[in-house]
Amino acid sequence: MRINLILLLLIGAACGEPNFSESQGTGSGGSLSRFAIRDEYLYLVTGYTLNTFSLSDGSFREVNSSTISFGLETIQAQGDFLYLGANDAMYIYSISNRAQPEFIFRYSHIVACDPVVVQGNRAYVILRGGTPCNVGTNQLEIIDITNPYAPVLLAQYAMTSPGGLGIFGDCLFVCEGTAGLKMLRVADDVVTPLLELSEVNAYDVIVKPNSILLTGEDGLFQYAYTCQPPALTLISSIPVQRAEF
Amino acid sequence: MSRIIYFIISVLFISCDLLLTAEHRRYPESAEGYFPVYSTEATTTIAWKAARAIKAPGKIYVYGDYLFINEVSAGIHVYNNLNPAAPEPLGFIEIVGNSEMAIRENVLYANHMGSLVAIELSDFSNPKLLGRVTISQWLYGVPPPPQSYFECVEPGQGLVVGWKKRTLKNPTCYAN
């Protein structure tokens, strides 16, 4: 019933002209993005550097490039901080001075560690094992980043083959490649499995308040969801047209 | 010169056991495999094209009611997602070598191979290139398909934007 309401709301919202703007002026990318925008600066990670670009009118230029470590893959910006996902660690940088990111902390693992999403004072980090380069466990970690100089591990949860992830409120979505999509509840830093879509190939996800956008090898899928009671309903799909390399 | 070295390093990282395998693998005189398709910024332009089917989806981005889907190393599909039950294809921004994107105040920032380009999107039918800046140490090319022989990459020829199937003579590179 609640799902129907959400669908009605979504359909109801679908009247009039599309809105080409955002309240913050920027949009949202998935957790696997190498680009992050904060105010008039764009931060990007190459394989081993963090580069800063000024986007101001008339001064579009690279203002900084710092060597971090090999194996950088993702970046998230929140408040005055950047969170970098790498093969061996999560890096926290301060951007109190937007033009010049400053190293704060390296949260390291012996196993592979990749994307990270941040909500409030919690970081949700994926540890990805079993790649040709790394053998380790596959798991989700919840880390208290209230003090960015001393992050504290709060919870660990075993996954199958985790990749991209996204969160809204207490509802966390983790893409598990061919093992599908998992919907987890993370209230009070306790991980509780809610739902699982095993038939989809899940690469990355963007989580909105009532819906998600999911990409994978088969295309792009939009689902409506509720966390309580747990429910996922397919709204639409844009399937891929298979191609030979 | 240093960019070339970094590219080589990145290729090694993409299949990090490439070197090990090279010593132990016995390469055939002839094998079905892949050869690289090279491109350079100088030979490709950014253009607004008609909507096309998605073949190899990459990263996604949401801006207002619009949805952007990267086509690996080829560009960005644009959809009107005002009605999520029926996203409407609007067109395709051709940006060879593209993998990443972000949008701020109607300006799309995307990588055109090793450059960051700023594209004004207010009028989709007429995307305006506002600026172009080289990205230090940007070095991504499309890795070869796994478990296959491939013609070894020559970074001097440009960025690898795709792979084509072909019978290779005396292949000396293999992707695990």
Side-chain angles (χ1 to χ4, degrees):
Chain A
M1 184 58 202
R2 201 156 160 187
I3 295 299
N4 288 338
L5 274 175
I6 288 168
L7 277 174
L8 278 175
L9 282 172
L10 285 168
I11 292 162
C15 300
E17 287 296 301
N19 180 13
F20 195 72
S21 66
E22 293 267 341
S23 54
Q24 303 284 317
T26 61
S28 327
S31 63
L32 300 177
S33 180
R34 286 181 179 275
F35 283 13
I37 291 178
R38 193 84 182 91
D39 299 332
E40 292 194 311
Y41 289 88
L42 183 146
Y43 305 91
L44 66 80
V45 288
T46 70
Y48 64 97
T49 65
L50 168 63
N51 300 7
T52 305
F53 291 79
S54 161
L55 307 181
S56 311
D57 287 343
S59 85
F60 176 46
R61 67 186 200 280
E62 190 176 278
V63 293
N64 193 6
S65 175
S66 308
T67 300
I68 312 293
S69 160
F70 272 105
L72 288 181
E73 294 202 342
T74 70
I75 185 168
Q76 294 270 309
Q78 192 197 257
D80 285 340
F81 296 96
L82 297 175
Y83 303 88
L84 279 49
N87 283 341
D88 61 343
M90 172 182 74
Y91 294 84
I92 303 178
Y93 275 74
S94 165
I95 45 169
S96 295
N97 177 354
R98 298 279 190 265
Q100 201 157 15
E102 182 194 349
F103 174 75
I104 297 288
F105 196 82
R106 177 178 185 268
Y107 183 87
S108 64
H109 292 280
I110 50 163
V111 289
C113 163
D114 254 340
V116 45
V117 295
V118 173
Q119 181 177 258
N121 55 4
R122 294 288 184 271
Y124 301 86
V125 178
I126 290 297
L127 279 69
R128 192 159 43 171
T131 65
C133 311
N134 293 286
V135 181
T137 50
N138 287 295
Q139 63 185 43
L140 164 74
E141 290 194 346
I142 304 179
I143 298 164
D144 183 345
I145 49 167
T146 308
N147 177 357
Y149 291 91
V152 178
L153 176 64
L154 298 176
Q156 294 172 304
Y157 185 80
M159 306 294 307
T160 308
S161 57
L165 76 169
I167 187 167
F168 184 83
D170 291 338
C171 223
L172 182 79
F173 294 85
V174 182
C175 298
E176 295 241 59
T178 52
L181 176 79
K182 289 203 173 71
M183 181 178 172
L184 308 165
R185 190 164 178 267
V186 291
D188 305 320
D189 306 313
V190 176
V191 183
T192 314
L194 293 180
L195 275 179
E196 191 174 330
L197 291 178
S198 53
E199 71 277 16
V200 295
N201 180 302
Y203 169 69
D204 203 3
V205 64
I206 293 176
V207 180
K208 303 209 280 184
N210 299 308
S211 64
I212 61 168
L213 293 104
L214 178 73
T215 49
E217 285 178 6
D218 302 322
L220 183 131
F221 303 87
Q222 300 190 62
Y223 292 87
Y225 75 89
T226 56
C227 212
Q228 202 58 256
L232 266 172
T233 312
L234 184 67
I235 304 170
S236 68
S237 61
I238 306 174
V240 303
Q241 197 177 80
R242 288 271 169 247
E244 270 289 285
F245 259 99
Chain B
M1 184 58 198
S2 62
R3 284 187 66 170
I4 292 171
I5 292 165
Y6 292 134
F7 182 85
I8 294 167
I9 291 169
S10 80
V11 168
L12 294 179
F13 264 75
I14 284 164
S15 55
C16 60
D17 39 359
L18 209 65
L19 280 178
L20 288 176
T21 316
E23 289 174 17
H24 302 301
R25 176 169 292 276
R26 295 180 65 191
Y27 287 92
E29 285 181 11
S30 173
E32 281 299 303
Y34 295 89
F35 76 96
V37 179
Y38 296 101
S39 197
T40 61
E41 282 165 36
T43 60
T44 64
T45 52
I46 293 167
W48 177 250
K49 298 281 177 79
R52 61 179 74 170
I54 298 173
K55 291 180 175 173
K59 297 179 183 180
I60 52 175
Y61 199 85
V62 173
Y63 186 77
D65 294 320
Y66 291 89
L67 169 61
F68 298 81
I69 306 172
N70 165 247
E71 179 76 31
V72 173
S73 217
I76 299 170
H77 302 275
V78 185
Y79 284 80
N80 172 357
N81 197 39
L82 181 63
N83 177 6
E88 176 198 354
L90 294 178
F92 183 74
I93 307 170
E94 192 171 81
I95 310 173
V96 174
N98 174 253
S99 55
E100 301 287 334
M101 65 191 134
I103 300 173
R104 177 177 179 272
E105 292 177 355
N106 296 355
V107 177
L108 165 72
Y109 299 91
N111 69 302
H112 180 211
M113 290 183 242
S115 287
L116 182 68
V117 292
I119 302 166
E120 162 70 47
L121 281 187
S122 300
D123 178 9
F124 278 121
S125 58
N126 184 25
K128 266 186 292 194
L129 185 62
L130 299 178
R132 169 186 295 275
V133 179
T134 299
I135 304 172
S136 303
Q137 329 303 356
W138 190 261
L139 31 79
Y140 296 96
V142 179
Q147 277 95 55
S148 61
Y149 291 97
F150 65 94
E151 195 175 283
C152 302
V153 173
E154 293 173 36
Q157 295 204 37
L159 197 75
V160 177
V161 294
W163 295 86
K164 286 241 156 79
K165 220 171 197 167
R166 179 191 271 179
T167 303
L168 304 173
K169 283 192 175 156
N170 302 311
T172 55
C173 279
Y174 183 84
N176 287 291

